[in-house]
Amino acid sequence: MQKTFNMEEYILIFRHPDGKKVASPEQIQAWMKQTMDWIGGIAAQNKFSSGTGLVFENAKVVSHKSVENIVTDGPFGDIKETIGGFIIVKADSVEEAVGFAKGCPVLQGEGNSVEVRKIARRDGLH
Amino acid sequence: MQADKLIPHLFRSEYSKIVSVLCRHYGLEQVEQAEDIASETFLSAAQSWALNGVPENPTAWLYTVAKNKTKNYLRRNNLFENKIAPELKKALEAIDEPGIDLSPENINDSQLQMMFALCHPTISVDAQISLSLRILCGFGIEEIADAFLTNKETINKRLFRAKEKLREEKIRVEMPGASEIEQRLAAVLRTIYLLFSEGYYSLSNDVTLRKDLCFEAMRLCNILVENKTTDLPEVNALLSLMCFHASRFDARMDINGELILYDQQDETLWDQELIARGAWFFHHAAGGDQISKYHLEAGIAWCHTQKTNSKEKWEQILQLYNQLLQLEYSPVAALNRTYALSRAHGKKEAIEEAEKLNLANNHFYFLLLGELYSDMDTAKARQHFEKALALAKTQTDKQTIEKKMDRLMRG
């Protein structure tokens, strides 16, 4: 039987240095396919929880009140990087989650990175 | 048709109709009485038709006899008479004209409502399937036992407990309310799907029985499609999935009931009419804004009705499995996805992915690995086939693996 007990959930966040870069439809399609294969591989191990891409169009950033324009179109301008999407996986350890992240097609893009963070359990300890 | 052939045929279709109509009228707590009345009706038919020949309209004959038997039952049922003793006169009128409606519309509605009643969430899934086989599909206890590879006592006990549960929970033969219907329909679809799988993948050697299970599942799903409230995209997707699978029924088994693998099937035996029907329901499944697992599985099954081995086809199958696994994990889907990956991206990549699957108790897992290594590393392939053979439980599975090993050694 598969071990599903004692598993933690980790979020893998896709980070891009510049959300304004426009990819060609062909590039986007190829990237989508690779991403689907990557996620499919994780799901085939029964380690996929959930996930979604994020749309850049109409994105807004709400800033601290001291900044004049509280809501900006964006994200991007001053901010060094932006988030393109995320998935949540089940893993026995952070190392396993990092192993999944290493296969993420986002990493083929220069300057891109995947942030791995454990999801806090609602047990009052985290 | 001769009486001795006609009766089992009619039993399959009419038993469930009589029981459903009676239960809708008198309540599910009377299910055993309803079953008795239906069984006795067929007993009378067997006796009378053998002596006097088959009547002109056998179904109408059955309905008339069933109605009369119901009247007799009500007459001699003391409990019933005591209960309504103060209103005896009225009751006697009720007995004379119990108002049992065996019109096609009422039969359809009754069967539909019965499906929802029997697939009530308080009943265990195993029991739902056994009850459905018995009451909705008119299967005998022995046939159900055969399908589940168990004995009659087990099935009798299971049915008895399930009927008790129906009584305890006071489950009624009616359509669930609009707010509930989606959730309740999910349970009905799951039972139909399991019923179909039971037939399609059953370990029983009785080919006719297996086919009957599949076609009964399709008949029940068809009742849902024909009803406005339940003619939903997901229901159409399930029916289309079953049509696509069933189209290969005759091609996937040889005369001895042995499984013929997809690659070796004679595609001229694929039932094109069922494929076309499947496509029609698939088209109707396209409405709505949700992709269910039935949609994805129907898509995969459709791909398999195309005998090409193009990379594009396997790429499409791979993507559908990617989505399916995100919706719902199952070892079978994980293994099939890896096979599709090998056809779309090559065996090397598939082996890497296969080794991550963590299914070391599953003989299909080693069968897949053996298959993937076959053209690359004969010794490794052999090792995996041997592990598969050690884990396989049924004779059919063992034979399939042995055949593969033979082919491997002959090169």
Side-chain angles (χ1 to χ4, degrees):
Chain A
M1 286 309 283
Q2 291 234 343
K3 271 205 303 188
T4 42
F5 50 90
N6 275 339
M7 267 199 203
E8 300 281 359
E9 283 192 314
Y10 293 85
I11 186 166
L12 314 186
I13 304 162
F14 315 153
R15 305 196 304 189
H16 306 261
D18 182 0
K20 279 183 184 157
K21 248 187 222 165
V22 182
S24 70
E26 291 78 26
Q27 275 173 314
I28 292 173
Q29 210 190 351
W31 181 80
M32 278 298 295
K33 198 195 112 43
Q34 286 176 351
T35 305
M36 285 308 287
D37 287 343
W38 173 62
I39 294 174
I42 295 170
Q45 299 172 54
N46 200 10
K47 298 285 175 72
F48 174 82
S49 284
S50 62
T52 183
L54 301 172
V55 176
F56 282 112
E57 199 180 301
N58 250 330
K60 306 281 180 201
V61 173
V62 182
S63 305
H64 186 272
K65 288 198 171 84
S66 64
V67 181
E68 207 174 314
N69 287 325
I70 301 176
V71 178
T72 51
D73 284 344
F76 314 115
D78 309 338
I79 300 168
K80 284 196 191 72
E81 56 179 25
T82 182
I83 292 165
F86 65 86
I87 72 166
I88 295 174
V89 299
K90 293 177 268 188
D92 289 320
S93 62
V94 68
E95 286 74 23
E96 191 184 8
V98 166
F100 291 140
K102 279 180 180 166
C104 180
V106 164
L107 294 176
Q108 291 165 18
E110 213 189 311
N112 291 352
S113 59
V114 176
E115 183 171 333
V116 180
R117 302 283 293 272
K118 189 156 102 177
I119 304 267
R121 283 193 204 167
R122 288 176 199 171
D123 55 4
L125 296 172
H126 292 280
Chain B
M1 218 188 277
Q2 292 290 311
D4 56 337
K5 286 207 179 103
L6 183 64
I7 288 176
H9 175 78
L10 281 174
F11 189 86
R12 184 84 6 120
S13 57
E14 303 307 321
Y15 176 86
S16 117
K17 293 179 186 170
I18 294 169
V19 174
S20 298
V21 166
L22 290 177
C23 284
R24 189 189 187 193
H25 197 79
Y26 292 105
L28 207 48
E29 61 278 6
Q30 304 285 340
V31 60
E32 265 145 5
Q33 289 76 358
E35 284 186 280
D36 284 346
I37 288 169
S39 299
E40 281 170 27
T41 302
F42 278 93
L43 198 66
S44 303
Q47 288 162 350
S48 158
W49 298 0
L51 284 173
N52 310 320
V54 177
E56 205 169 301
N57 186 343
T59 315
W61 189 99
L62 289 171
Y63 293 169
T64 310
V65 171
K67 276 187 196 173
N68 287 335
K69 287 199 184 288
T70 309
K71 279 186 209 169
N72 291 340
Y73 170 78
L74 292 175
R75 274 212 188 93
R76 61 170 190 262
N77 188 336
N78 288 328
L79 200 105
F80 178 84
E81 290 199 25
N82 289 340
K83 234 187 193 171
I84 44 90
E87 287 182 88
L88 196 59
K89 195 169 163 283
K90 235 167 109 187
L92 282 172
E93 279 162 14
I95 286 168
D96 278 338
E97 208 39 73
I100 298 161
D101 174 8
L102 282 153
S103 65
E105 297 78 38
N106 193 49
I107 286 175
N108 245 345
D109 286 354
S110 302
Q111 284 191 303
L112 183 69
Q113 295 176 6
M114 199 66 170
M115 252 190 259
F116 279 96
L118 299 183
C119 298
H120 197 272
T122 56
I123 315 250
S124 78
V125 174
D126 267 358
Q128 286 179 15
I129 298 175
S130 302
L131 273 177
S132 300
L133 281 173
R134 180 73 194 134
I135 294 172
L136 289 171
C137 312
F139 275 60
I141 304 296
E142 206 166 332
E143 288 173 307
I144 304 175
D146 265 1
F148 279 106
L149 294 183
T150 179
N151 53 38
K152 280 162 81 174
E153 289 82 72
T154 310
I155 298 299
N156 269 325
K157 265 186 218 154
R158 192 181 292 168
L159 287 172
F160 180 77
R161 274 193 231 110
K163 284 177 200 166
E164 243 178 355
K165 190 92 185 165
L166 289 173
R167 264 191 296 271
E168 280 166 20
E169 301 286 336
K170 300 194 168 55
I171 290 163
R172 299 175 54 163
V173 185
E174 62 188 8
M175 286 301 278
S179 61
E180 264 193 310
I181 196 142
E182 212 168 297
Q183 191 201 349
R184 294 286 302 280
L185 187 62
V188 173
L189 294 184
R190 187 189 52 203
T191 298
I192 293 177
Y193 180 70
L194 288 173
L195 197 62
F196 184 87
S197 306
E198 199 59 51
Y200 206 69
Y201 303 105
S202 167
L203 306 171
S204 162
N205 286 324
D206 187 338
V207 181
T208 325
L209 169 67
R210 295 165 65 164
K211 233 179 171 169
D212 276 355
L213 280 167
C214 290
F215 286 112
E216 276 302 316
M218 290 162 76
R219 184 182 66 85
L220 294 180
C221 202
N222 211 42
I223 296 180
L224 294 174
V225 165
E226 279 172 1
N227 184 287
K228 241 191 250 160
T229 25
T230 49
D231 181 19
L232 298 169
E234 211 178 341
V235 181
N236 280 276
L238 175 59
L239 189 50
S240 111
L241 159 67
M242 295 192 289
C243 288
F244 289 143
H245 274 317
S247 72
R248 283 196 301 282
F249 216 107
D250 290 329
R252 65 195 280 278
M253 211 114 40
D254 68 12
I255 327 160
N256 307 315
E258 240 183 79
L259 213 58
I260 303 171
L261 296 175
Y262 181 76
D263 279 340
Q264 278 116 47
Q265 283 173 14
D266 173 4
E267 71 253 43
T268 59
L269 293 176
W270 293 357
D271 187 332
Q272 294 301 326
E273 200 190 309
L274 271 176
I275 294 176
R277 277 186 63 197
W280 196 83
F281 291 120
F282 198 43
H283 180 71
H284 282 258
D289 52 6
Q290 270 188 339
I291 297 184
S292 67
K293 70 169 196 155
Y294 304 121
H295 283 91
L296 296 169
E297 287 192 36
I300 294 165
W302 180 81
C303 289
H304 285 307
T305 64
Q306 310 297 306
K307 186 82 184 192
T308 87
N309 259 327
S310 67
K311 209 169 162 267
E312 289 71 30
K313 174 177 117 174
W314 287 104
E315 183 59 56
Q316 200 180 354
I317 294 176
L318 172 63
Q319 293 310 325
L320 289 163
Y321 273 120
N322 283 340
Q323 288 186 62
L324 180 63
L325 281 158
Q326 289 174 52
L327 274 186
E328 191 179 287
Y329 170 83
S330 75
V332 182
L335 291 168
N336 286 336
R337 176 208 178 250
T338 313
Y339 182 73
L341 185 73
S342 80
R343 302 301 295 256
H345 295 191
K347 289 187 171 176
K348 203 171 151 280
E349 192 179 326
I351 288 172
E352 271 174 39
E353 293 272 291
E355 278 166 351
K356 297 180 196 158
L357 290 185
N358 190 21
L359 290 169
N361 292 323
N362 187 320
H363 74 273
F364 290 115
Y365 172 66
F366 291 107
L367 193 59
L368 173 70
L369 275 172
E371 188 88 354
L372 293 177
Y373 272 115
S374 279
D375 306 322
M376 299 171 74
D377 185 335
T378 311
K380 268 200 172 159
R382 200 189 152 85
Q383 279 174 14
H384 287 303
F385 282 142
E386 275 167 359
K387 276 190 194 160
L389 196 59
L391 285 169
K393 286 183 189 77
T394 69
Q395 209 48 43
T396 320
D397 286 343
K398 283 185 179 147
Q399 278 166 357
T400 310
I401 299 164
E402 276 162 359
K403 266 191 204 160
K404 284 198 182 271
M405 285 176 93
D406 271 359
R407 224 187 301 157
L408 178 76
M409 292 341 253
R410 273 190 266 115

